[in-house]
Amino acid sequence: MNTQSSMQQSVQPTVLANAIRALSMDAVQQANSGHPGAPMGMAEIAVALWTRHLRHNPKNPNWFDRDRFVLSNGHGSMLIYSLLHLSGYDLSIEELKNFRQLHSKTPGHPEVGITAGVETTTGPLGQGIANAVGFALAESLLAAEFNRPEHAVVDHFTYAFVGDGCLMEGISHEVCSLAGTLKLAKLIVLYDDNGISIDGQVDNWFADDTPKRFEAYGWNVIRNVDGHDIDAVDQAIAQAKQHALAGNTGPTLICCKTEIGKGSPNMVGTEKVHGSPLGAAEIELTRKAINWDSPAFEIPSEIAQAWNHDQAGASVEAEWDKVFAAYAQVYPELAAELSRRMKGDLPADFESKFGQYIQETTAKAETVASRKASQFAIAALADILPEFLGGSADLTGSNFTDWKGVTAVRAGQAGRHINYGVREFGMAAMMNGVALHGGYLPFGGTFLTFSDYSRNAIRMAALMKQRVVHVFTHDSIGLGEDGPTHQSIEHAASLRLIPNLDVWRPCDTVETAIAWQSAVSRPTSLGMAVQAGGPSALLLSRQNLAFVERDAQTLAQVSRGGYVLRDDAAAKAVIIATGSEVELALKAQAQLQEEGIAVRVVSMPSTNVFDRQAKDYRDSVLPQDLPCVAVEAGCTGGWYKYTGRNGAVVGIDSYGESAPAGVLFKHFGLTAENVAQAVKQVL
């Protein structure tokens, strides 16, 4: 028996739970804000999982084969902060005292990269469980790809805590349904069924039979577990793990009946303890009720020792190190490949190989829709990047996110293309989980208009600086007859406003290839190693786009987000364009030239990337002494930062219409003639 186990036996498990309660209520009280109810109510659940089942190493939070833990109900952040501190992670008692304060390691909601041991940023309810499904999917696929008989180098569980709020959010249905279909058996979710949300008793607005709901998804459901009985929760987790190992089974939901704010004599079981401090008087009464004699933020040494996981964590990682060393001896190439992918590094020959593809694309000079150009690039990338993991929200044949010979992911079948179904939000949040897990570079497709459904998960990817690629096709009124419900107007402009999100709207096959190159080359953020990267969004056309000839010097500038595509030494104005409107700009330039008016054409496939360039470069592309006209089939507002008030923007500030694309472009004034006229008006 190890020291930790013996110490835990000498300290009553309930006392371990009360340590969580004490730290949580004290930190929330000191901050004068926060959510003490969930940590206090889930304390026993946490003890059962973290002291008896969770495989992790506090001294190496990034150990690859650790179990993943997600606190989906992220408002209960003091629960995970208490667990991390008590277990031995780099989270001091001073940081707990600084809960919710500026630049502390204990922000209001858990943030990956800020706090060692936090696997994902949770706050918007439902996305944590979605991330957890992504974790479990990544583990399942990596295990199928790399494990060999007698060598299970990828073998861990994903655990998630969820509350009523998470399960009310529609995204929980999207991802849990898919998790059941894919039989992600090593996903174990513990449901804090306390019946309380901010507005009070949830049975007035959330009366679902949750166990039946999850059984309908194909989940294993363990009902009516006393969430305050540590042994009962322990047994339920053990049962779930056995279920997972049985093969061809679904995930497990453990329904834990709890009281929110357990331990508080006057607030237990009420909404009063959900999102407000208990107050000094109630805290004193709670201390007496749980028999906790220690002052605020003090943990008796025997309890601290019983909680500490340093020795056990080092031991479990050391065991895995032996497994991996034996694996590397027998399968050195696989071990090297897995090691590379665990770090998130691209292959050493990536730039040369994909550079060759760009040269080939230039030579072919094909006129195709940029969604098709994207598929060409995807096929090339899939050959170079084994970690490339694609998918679509039931629009594969429109988004072109698959490639020849790719195997689809199915229950019990590994592959590299995921049919997410009509689940745009779920897809986006699952991709975040896949990226956070490590080992894969995820991308997924839908129509640009439906980025609205994905929006908050895109924002979370940007906040967490995760390398995720969103393929958004049918990017404008060029969609045509499907009409205004499907035609993107405001979407490009609004996506460009999201910090850390690189938005690309390429004009031809070459710009599309370079957009992909930029997206997959962004730095990888894993655990505490947060890099200055983030997600990318590729906005792609349904209609064919003419190939644009470039010399080598011009080609080299495309990756800078904006560049001079066609110039004239005597230029009197600049036309800026993106995507399908670059062709309009070039035609307008030709018309103006016939009238003796010289203009420069700038292609700006990514405003975000262009804005990061040095001022000297930006000024060389857009000289301050030349008037500018921007043209894009979408909202005009964002373009005035380049044109200024004295410039002009040719765009669309209304919703679209149902008609063939060619008719619509004329109807909305997106013609070379109108662009040329706009130039003449600013001269």
Side-chain angles (χ1 to χ4, degrees), residues 574-577 628-632 639-640 642-643 647-651 675 678:
V574 179
I575 304 175
I576 310 168
C628 290
V629 173
V631 54
E632 185 173 61
W639 287 106
Y640 286 101
Y642 304 108
T643 67
V649 183
V650 179
V675 174

Side-chain angles (χ1 to χ4, degrees), residues 158-311:
T158 299
Y159 299 95
F161 285 178
V162 304
D164 295 304
C166 290
L167 298 186
M168 282 187 255
E169 289 284 1
I171 189 174
S172 71
H173 164 70
E174 294 184 27
V175 300
C176 293
S177 169
L178 185 55
T181 301
L182 295 177
K183 297 184 177 180
L184 300 178
K186 292 171 78 174
L187 171 64
I188 299 174
V189 177
L190 293 103
Y191 167 34
D192 178 34
D193 183 10
N194 61 35
I196 295 291
S197 67
I198 293 174
D199 283 355
Q201 297 283 344
V202 301
D203 54 9
N204 291 305
W205 49 85
F206 183 56
D208 304 17
D209 189 330
T210 298
K212 282 187 178 178
R213 170 186 162 190
F214 276 77
E215 286 171 350
Y217 293 152
W219 285 53
N220 172 47
V221 177
I222 303 175
R223 300 168 177 250
N224 298 317
V225 177
D226 182 350
H228 301 301
D229 184 333
I230 294 171
D231 290 336
V233 178
D234 171 25
Q235 291 168 17
I237 298 170
Q239 183 182 334
K241 290 163 72 175
Q242 285 300 314
H243 173 82
L245 298 175
N248 198 35
T249 59
T252 294
L253 179 73
I254 302 173
C255 301
C256 301
K257 293 286 185 180
T258 65
E259 292 182 292
I260 192 171
K262 176 74 170 178
S264 170
N266 298 305
M267 295 183 181
V268 63
T270 71
E271 66 273 17
K272 295 178 182 178
V273 75
H274 181 278
S276 302
L278 272 65
E282 187 67 14
I283 284 178
E284 285 307 307
L285 291 173
T286 303
R287 276 184 151 75
K288 291 178 183 177
I290 66 175
N291 197 28
W292 189 266
D293 298 327
S294 300
F297 297 106
E298 286 192 17
I299 304 295
S301 60
E302 67 273 14
I303 298 174
Q305 290 177 42
W307 260 112
N308 188 275
H309 197 72
D310 286 354
Q311 183 178 335

Side-chain angles (χ1 to χ4, degrees), residues 309-324:
H309 197 72
D310 286 354
Q311 183 178 335
S315 177
V316 72
E317 182 177 353
E319 290 174 10
W320 181 81
D321 287 341
K322 292 177 183 176
V323 170
F324 190 79

Side-chain angles (χ1 to χ4, degrees), residues 307-483:
W307 260 112
N308 188 275
H309 197 72
D310 286 354
Q311 183 178 335
S315 177
V316 72
E317 182 177 353
E319 290 174 10
W320 181 81
D321 287 341
K322 292 177 183 176
V323 170
F324 190 79
Y327 175 78
Q329 276 197 322
V330 183
Y331 305 104
E333 292 183 359
L334 282 174
E337 176 66 8
L338 180 58
S339 296
R340 176 186 71 80
R341 287 165 60 174
M342 285 191 293
K343 297 175 186 175
D345 296 337
L346 294 176
D349 59 357
F350 170 75
E351 286 199 18
S352 61
K353 284 187 174 179
F354 200 73
Q356 180 61 39
Y357 170 76
I358 292 172
Q359 293 298 325
E360 292 169 358
T361 300
T362 301
K364 287 181 179 177
E366 293 175 290
T367 291
V368 296
S370 54
R371 62 171 176 161
K372 191 65 180 178
S374 172
Q375 189 177 41
F376 296 158
I378 287 170
L381 287 165
D383 285 341
I384 304 170
L385 302 176
E387 60 265 48
F388 214 40
L389 182 65
S392 173
D394 204 49
L395 287 168
T396 302
S398 294
N399 301 146
F400 295 159
T401 51
D402 59 351
W403 61 96
K404 188 176 180 180
V406 66
T407 301
V409 174
R410 298 287 184 265
Q413 174 182 291
R416 296 174 66 189
H417 185 272
I418 302 165
N419 298 104
Y420 287 98
V422 188
R423 299 182 176 99
E424 295 89 357
F425 192 7
M427 174 180 70
M430 281 177 61
M431 288 197 297
N432 290 349
V434 170
L436 286 159
H437 181 278
Y440 289 106
L441 201 168
F443 66 96
T446 187
F447 287 2
L448 178 55
T449 306
F450 305 144
S451 65
D452 286 339
Y453 286 133
S454 310
R455 184 61 59 101
N456 202 257
I458 298 171
R459 181 178 186 271
M460 293 303 293
L463 177 63
M464 296 187 286
K465 299 179 180 177
Q466 291 302 303
R467 185 175 58 178
V468 174
V469 186
H470 293 272
V471 179
F472 293 128
T473 66
H474 299 62
D475 67 341
S476 71
I477 58 170
L479 174 64
E481 292 88 342
D482 277 344

Side-chain angles (χ1 to χ4, degrees), residues 525-541:
S525 291
L526 290 171
M528 296 297 289
V530 177
Q531 308 293 328
S536 301
L538 277 56
L539 317 188
L540 307 169
S541 74

